[in-house]
């Protein structure tokens, strides 16, 4: 597990350079070295069912933490407990060292929230909404700059009701960060966005991290987690089932593993293929695994060097099989995710 | 509001989120709520156009039979129209707005900003009062033009009655908005307004209502508000019973709203 980056930031500014407001001076545990967010043994039940069942996670300042999981895994409920919107049925939640429910008044100015359903009043214009949220803070971000970089300017005079899904998401993100929060919770921030918008959102998230904020985002998008996150918590059935940086999750003991994918006639003898590949890569007996996730579509994982590739094509040639597609790639986060959470639909 | 957009060049980590003063947050929310009502065509219809039309209808026509005793019809009708205006804003308009804000997650989002739930509630109440001020100016101007002569000595009492009525009906609005589906609230809030206007003692005094409705309306918050408002502005004094009924409803509804309101 990588050690946390000090919340004082890379520029070495001491935490005490923050405004010495009475409330803040008394409440600095979050900036004194512990993680910005610490969840331990969180339990949340709805109607007798454990939606979150003993979940642990941490998020550091100056880092992006992704909570990755399939729909219904408990991601949103977990962040809502962190935001003070729900009270846990068990376990503890600490944000900047404080209790999100009991210390809500102190935390609200320091925590930015983007809800999954947006939470934007539908009758008001986008620009007015952003201005209104900004007026809750003593020193908000420059609205012109923020509006420009997230493209809110372009639809500032449109009522929220008439915005597209992606536009609403960008407005909600702008509202989440306008108060210069130390901790930002983003619930599926790039859902419904076009590639350009996603790029703008990701840039902003990286910048928030570089400024020293703790960014916690939920997502079920692999590339989002893979590109953005310093740490990923894979959540399923209300628990964290794997944690670490992306390289760590891509199985540290098999860093050399690569994946060969090919399409051909269905029903090839995979055990025989594994034997042939094992023979071509001496020194790693039994290292090869082959699956046929869908008929005619094959995934072969192992120490896939040039010899293995040659052995694969020779094995196919011996059977007079032409691969219609053949790619060599690293194991992706998606492979890990599907291995961990299963491939069945839910 | 220019101060809220002031730019600083310091990175966010060194100027972490600091809340604006509480009065400014509540004032901002009040302005936001007030503009939302005054900009919405349907809300304007219920809060401004409807009471003015009722005022004109009851004074310029005799569609509805009201025994005004030896009082001028405009003097007798205007207090009831002001009571109706109070109910339309504090109850109907507020219930619908809050129900849809709740469904759309607006209440949850604002609760995570420095405004918080308390500030949101304060902003809503002040927003209701601001809309009511606009209503009083418009309805008062029309009534004065029609020859209304309110009892000068009762104006302060009328303001007090209006504030109590506002508290009572805002509590009812929040109770509905915080427990029912938005579409249900939309239908119910309009239906209840119509029922209270027709048989709730707002415009027509309870004792002039037919049969059992008389006794029912006397103990409804609408009847109590109408009677108290008429007593104050006709100069006959606010009836103690009406005040007691209104206060009791306010206490009950405020307790119920606080107890049963669900934010999501």
């Amino acid at each position: 597990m990588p050690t946390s980056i000090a919340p004082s930031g890379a520029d070495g500014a001491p935490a005490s350079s923050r405004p010495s407001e009475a409330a803040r001076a008394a409440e600095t545990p979050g900036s004194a070295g512990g993680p910005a967010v610490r969840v331990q043994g969180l339990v949340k039940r709805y109607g007798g069912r454990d939606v979150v069942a003993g979940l642990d996670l941490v998020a550091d300042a100056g880092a992006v933490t992704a909570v990755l999981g399939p729909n219904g895994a408990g991601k949103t409920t977990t962040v809502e407990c962190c935001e003070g919107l729900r009270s846990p049925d068990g376990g503890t939640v600490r944000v900047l060292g404080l209790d999100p429910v009991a210390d809500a008044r102190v935390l609200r100015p320091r925590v930015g929230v983007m809800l999954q359903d947006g939470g934007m009043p539908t009758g008001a214009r986008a620009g007015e909404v952003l201005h209104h949220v900004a007026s809750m803070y003593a020193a908000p971000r420059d609205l012109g700059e923020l509006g420009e970089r997230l493209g809110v300017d372009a639809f500032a005079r449109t009522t929220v009701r008439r915005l597209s899904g992606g536009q609403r998401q960008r407005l909600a993100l702008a509202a989440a960060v306008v108060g210069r929060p130390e901790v930002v919770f983003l619930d599926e921030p790039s859902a419904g966005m076009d590639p350009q918008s996603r790029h703008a959102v990701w840039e902003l998230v990286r910048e928030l991290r570089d400024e020293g904020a703790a960014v916690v985002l939920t997502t079920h998008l692999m590339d989002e987690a893979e590109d953005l996150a310093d740490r990923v918590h894979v959540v399923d059935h209300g628990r964290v089932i794997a944690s670490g940086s992306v390289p760590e999750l891509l199985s540290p003991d098999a860093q050399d593993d690569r994946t060969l994918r090919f399409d051909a006639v269905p029903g090839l003898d995979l055990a025989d293929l594994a034997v042939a590949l094992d023979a071509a890569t001496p020194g790693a007996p039994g290292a090869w695994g082959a699956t046929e996730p869908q008929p005619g579509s094959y995934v072969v994982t192992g120490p896939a060097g040039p010899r293995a590739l040659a052995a694969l094509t020779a094995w196919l040639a011996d059977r007079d099989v032409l691969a219609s597609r053949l790619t060599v790639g690293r194991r992706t986060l998606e492979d890990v995710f599907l291995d961990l959470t299963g491939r069945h639909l839910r | 509001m220019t101060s809220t957009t002031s730019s600083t060049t310091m990175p966010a980590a060194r100027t972490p989120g600091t809340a604006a003063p509480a009065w400014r947050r509540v004032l901002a929310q009040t302005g936001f709520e007030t503009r939302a009502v005054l900009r919405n065509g349907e809300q304007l219809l219920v809060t401004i156009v409807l009471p003015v039309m009722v005022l004109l209808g009851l004074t310029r026509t005799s569609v509805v039979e009201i025994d005004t005793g030896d009082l001028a019809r405009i003097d007798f009708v205007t207090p009831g129209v002001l009571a109706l205006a109070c109910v339309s804003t504090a109850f109907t308009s507020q219930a619908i707005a809050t129900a849809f804000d709740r469904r759309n997650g607006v209440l949850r989002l604002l609760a995570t900003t420095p405004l918080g739930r308390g500030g949101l509630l304060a902003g809503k109440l002040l927003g209701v009062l601001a809309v009511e001020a606009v209503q009083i100016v418009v309805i008062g101007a029309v009534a004065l033009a029609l020859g209304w002569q309110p009892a000068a000595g009762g104006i302060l009492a009328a303001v007090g009655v209006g504030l109590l009525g506002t508290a009572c009906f805002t509590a009812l609005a929040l109770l509905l908005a915080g427990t029912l589906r938005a579409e249900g609230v939309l239908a119910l809030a309009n239906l209840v307004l119509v029922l209270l206007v027709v048989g709730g003692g707002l415009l027509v005094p309870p004792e002039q209502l037919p049969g059992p409705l008389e006794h029912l309306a006397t103990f409804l918050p609408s009847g109590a508000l109408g009677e108290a408002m008429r007593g104050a502005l006709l100069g006959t004094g606010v009836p103690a019973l009406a005040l007691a009924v209104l206060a009791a409803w306010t206490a009950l509804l405020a307790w119920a709203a606080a107890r049963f309101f669900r934010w999501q």
Side-chain angles (χ1 to χ4, degrees), chain A residues 17-25 27-28 31 96 98 103-113 133-141 175-184 208 211-214, chain B residues 8 10-21 25 112-115:
Chain A
S17 73
R18 293 168 180 221
S20 59
E21 223 183 275
R24 181 149 310 124
E27 309 284 8
T28 49
S31 41
L96 298 171
L98 300 168
D103 304 314
R105 203 181 50 76
V106 184
L107 277 177
R108 282 192 295 254
R110 303 171 69 185
V111 175
V113 171
V133 175
S135 67
M136 299 298 158
Y137 300 90
R141 280 174 187 274
V177 304
V178 73
R180 302 174 189 273
E182 293 161 74
V183 181
V184 190
L208 290 168
E211 288 171 352
Chain B
T8 75
M10 290 208 274
R14 302 241 217 112
T15 53
T18 313
R25 305 194 303 256
T112 69
T113 71
L115 182 65

Side-chain angles (χ1 to χ4, degrees), chain A residues 11 13 21 24 80 85 108-109 113 115 117 119-122 128 131-132 135-138 140 142-143 179-180 182 211, chain B residues 1 4-5 8 10 12-20 25 28-29 32 39 104-106 108-109 111 113-114 116 264:
Chain A
D11 57 1
E21 223 183 275
R24 181 149 310 124
E80 284 182 345
L85 287 171
R108 282 192 295 254
V113 171
L115 298 174
D117 55 10
M120 298 287 115
T122 53
E128 282 176 303
H131 194 278
H132 180 55
S135 67
M136 299 298 158
Y137 300 90
D142 179 45
L143 290 185
R180 302 174 189 273
E182 293 161 74
E211 288 171 352
Chain B
M1 299 296 270
T4 62
T5 60
T8 75
M10 290 208 274
R14 302 241 217 112
T15 53
T18 313
R25 305 194 303 256
Q29 187 62 26
F32 196 75
R39 184 172 38 208
N104 294 330
V106 178
R108 292 193 307 145
L109 183 77
T113 71
Q264 46 205 341

Side-chain angles (χ1 to χ4, degrees), chain B residues 82-161:
Chain B
L82 289 173
L84 161 66
C86 171
V87 175
S88 70
T89 297
F91 172 64
T92 304
S93 163
Q94 188 56 236
I96 294 168
T98 304
F100 279 90
D101 276 356
R102 173 168 168 262
R103 188 187 72 177
N104 294 330
V106 178
L107 301 185
R108 292 193 307 145
L109 183 77
L110 287 174
T112 69
T113 71
L115 182 65
R117 290 174 178 177
L120 181 59
L121 196 62
K124 281 191 171 297
L125 266 171
L126 290 175
V128 167
L129 293 177
V131 174
E132 287 179 349
V134 174
Q135 290 178 303
I136 289 168
V137 168
V138 174
I139 295 166
V142 174
L144 289 172
L146 294 173
W148 179 41
Q149 290 179 314
I155 288 179
L156 202 62
V159 170
V161 167

